[in-house]
Amino acid sequence: MKIAKQAAFILLWLFSSLAVNAQIENHAVPIIADSGNDSVVRVPVSPKNYHGQLDIKDVVGSEWQRIHKGGKKPVDTGEVNESKLRISAVPAAGYSLVTSFAALLAANASFKTDTGANTCTMVTSFTYTANKQIILPLNTSIWSKNNKYNIVTDWRYLNYPSYTYGLGGFTKLSDGYMIDYSTVHFHQAVLREVIPDMYAGVGYNLDYFWNIKELNPPPNTVTPFENYGYAATEFASGFTFNFLYDTRKNPINADGGNFVNVVYRPNLTIFGNTATWRSLIVDLRKYVKFPAGSNNVLAFWSYEWLTLSGKAPYLMLPNTGGDPYSNTGRGYIQGRYRSNNMAYVESEYRFGLTHNGFLGGVVFGNAQSFTEITNNKFETIAPGYGAGIRLKLDKFNRTNVAIDYGFGIGGSGGVFVNIGEVF
């Protein structure tokens, strides 16, 4: 619960900062400290010009001026100093297969530690759903001066009744039943620059699930969970070895560059695991402007999640939507497929719909495959596809509200909402 309290504190800090001032100037109180004694350096840089561009704050401000100021034209907020802390937040309501109706508060923040550093990002949200689920994540990527270090955080607290459908690729939607549990995830890593844009480092991952209960499982049968090894609690702990190659300039909404992230995790008994097992995640992304010279982007994503040896806890097996941002498998409910190994690919085309940048659109397609538990072979492919719209939440760091509808096979489908791009 200590982890959940820490995440909740940071969430409250983000929203209180937003309530006071959505744009904190560079001479404000330091936001984060280095491992030494120096605070974040805020070096003045030449402002970029965003005149004529609109985001949600501009649209709301314009409407406020129209109603309360007699139609007086609002001031164009089109100049920004890049070293500012930018915070974007939005309340929302939505519906998806896994949550039913949900109320959501989401926020992200971006800033630079100096002019030579990559953009630091912090993403968090609080969700409460009609299924009595509570979802509280915090994902950050902090770059030190001159990009010497990258500090990566993935903390999550979930009280999360959700569906499981069994193991492998031959399961059906009708196989689904609900598992209730609470969980905390504490994933932390520190990487150091090896050569420009390339990093290596170590981390520590802890995952704990408790109060695990099967709700209304199929009667008179042994469920896949029970057959695999049902337990009321699940625990995993291990150091990680990390490799990162990242040439993106803006990870919130990349318009070019490459991203390679490899995480090897040995969960050994000396770290409290009941048995040793090892996993590997390989996350590959590429972004290309298409046509060249335009602002439209063709994006590619590959996500491989493998169990190299041993037996992972059931709720920690590779599964649809089980990545840190729960974004794999648009078109399918989270947890729709699960097994020892997952192979995933996706491509998305992002394009503008208005000249002022306020409205955009995407089309996407993906495919996922899971090994069969009996022979560890990939035997099926589950494709997904769909389209969506983008509403500019913050024009300065190009944060969008992403609203997509995805389709899968066997009647799968649903609405998917993100703050920032899916990948």
Side-chain angles (χ1 to χ4, degrees):
M1 296 306 295
K2 181 179 179 181
I3 297 170
K5 290 179 180 178
Q6 291 172 318
F9 173 81
I10 294 175
L11 177 69
L12 291 171
W13 172 83
L14 280 171
F15 279 100
S16 62
S17 298
L18 178 67
V20 175
N21 192 342
Q23 301 177 20
I24 300 177
E25 298 294 338
N26 294 324
H27 56 262
V29 176
I31 303 303
I32 187 171
D34 287 337
S35 56
N37 296 322
D38 295 332
S39 299
V40 165
V41 176
R42 294 175 172 80
V43 180
V45 296
S46 300
K48 285 189 174 180
N49 193 315
Y50 292 85
H51 288 307
Q53 297 292 297
L54 292 180
D55 57 21
I56 289 177
K57 291 189 286 291
D58 291 323
V59 172
V60 172
S62 179
E63 185 65 15
W64 176 269
Q65 291 278 18
R66 186 186 68 82
I67 296 174
H68 297 279
K69 302 294 184 180
K72 182 179 178 181
K73 185 178 179 180
V75 175
D76 189 342
T77 60
E79 291 187 356
V80 61
N81 188 314
E82 273 198 297
S83 54
K84 287 179 180 178
L85 170 68
R86 307 294 310 179
I87 297 179
S88 302
V90 63
Y95 175 88
S96 71
L97 294 173
V98 72
T99 64
S100 186
F101 290 98
L104 168 73
L105 288 173
N108 71 20
S110 64
F111 59 93
K112 288 191 175 186
T113 53
D114 69 3
T115 56
N118 291 341
T119 300
C120 302
T121 59
M122 304 177 68
V123 181
T124 189
S125 61
F126 177 80
T127 303
Y128 186 79
T129 78
N131 289 336
K132 298 183 179 180
Q133 298 155 315
I134 297 173
I135 308 167
L136 180 60
L138 172 68
N139 298 95
T140 73
S141 178
I142 307 300
W143 297 90
S144 70
K145 300 173 187 178
N146 298 314
N147 295 331
K148 186 176 181 180
Y149 290 95
N150 181 216
I151 304 170
V152 181
T153 296
D154 175 14
W155 297 352
R156 282 178 277 173
Y157 167 75
L158 298 91
N159 187 338
Y160 205 63
S162 59
Y163 285 93
T164 186
Y165 298 84
L167 300 173
F170 290 102
T171 60
K172 303 183 294 293
L173 277 175
S174 58
D175 297 331
Y177 67 95
M178 191 164 281
I179 296 177
D180 191 9
Y181 60 87
S182 296
T183 180
V184 289
H185 303 268
F186 180 88
H187 296 187
Q188 194 76 50
V190 179
L191 294 86
R192 192 185 192 283
E193 184 180 51
V194 179
I195 60 175
D197 300 324
M198 185 178 292
Y199 297 80
V202 296
Y204 174 71
N205 287 8
L206 181 148
D207 301 89
Y208 178 57
F209 299 79
W210 71 95
N211 290 338
I212 302 172
K213 300 183 290 289
E214 294 184 299
L215 305 180
N216 299 316
N220 304 317
T221 184
V222 178
T223 66
F225 191 2
E226 293 166 348
N227 191 54
Y228 185 83
Y230 171 83
T233 62
E234 293 186 345
F235 174 83
S237 170
F239 284 100
T240 62
F241 300 90
N242 304 263
F243 171 83
L244 174 67
Y245 176 70
D246 192 356
T247 62
R248 301 171 302 171
K249 299 304 180 185
N250 182 354
I252 292 176
N253 187 354
D255 59 3
N258 302 289
F259 174 85
V260 178
N261 189 36
V262 180
V263 180
Y264 169 62
R265 176 179 175 176
N267 300 275
L268 308 178
T269 54
I270 59 174
F271 299 127
N273 300 280
T274 56
T276 293
W277 59 281
R278 297 173 173 86
S279 66
L280 178 69
I281 293 176
V282 181
D283 187 342
L284 309 174
R285 309 180 192 190
K286 185 176 182 62
Y287 306 87
V288 180
K289 287 193 173 184
F290 184 80
S294 74
N295 290 321
N296 299 344
V297 174
L298 189 58
F300 303 92
W301 185 21
S302 173
Y303 193 84
E304 319 307 317
W305 185 358
L306 310 174
T307 305
L308 300 180
S309 66
K311 186 177 182 180
Y314 185 87
L315 294 174
M316 289 196 63
L317 286 169
N319 65 92
T320 305
D323 59 286
Y325 293 92
S326 302
N327 282 336
T328 52
R330 272 183 295 178
Y332 294 88
I333 190 172
Q334 187 174 353
R336 174 63 184 86
Y337 295 102
R338 184 187 305 267
S339 194
N340 288 325
N341 302 289
M342 169 187 179
Y344 183 80
V345 293
E346 180 162 357
S347 182
E348 179 175 270
Y349 186 56
R350 306 168 183 172
F351 50 91
L353 293 175
T354 59
H355 292 296
N356 58 21
F358 179 68
L359 188 63
V362 304
V363 292
F364 63 87
N366 60 56
Q368 57 187 312
S369 182
F370 288 78
T371 54
E372 298 308 310
I373 203 72
T374 53
N375 57 21
N376 214 33
K377 293 181 179 180
F378 292 101
E379 297 184 1
T380 61
I381 297 175
Y385 63 94
I389 62 172
R390 298 293 181 266
L391 301 174
K392 192 69 70 185
L393 181 60
D394 190 313
K395 63 189 176 186
F396 302 108
N397 61 19
R398 302 206 310 272
T399 299
N400 289 325
V401 178
I403 306 172
D404 301 319
Y405 196 95
F407 300 88
I409 59 175
S412 289
V415 177
F416 302 82
V417 180
N418 280 275
I419 303 301
E421 300 308 308
V422 172
F423 65 93

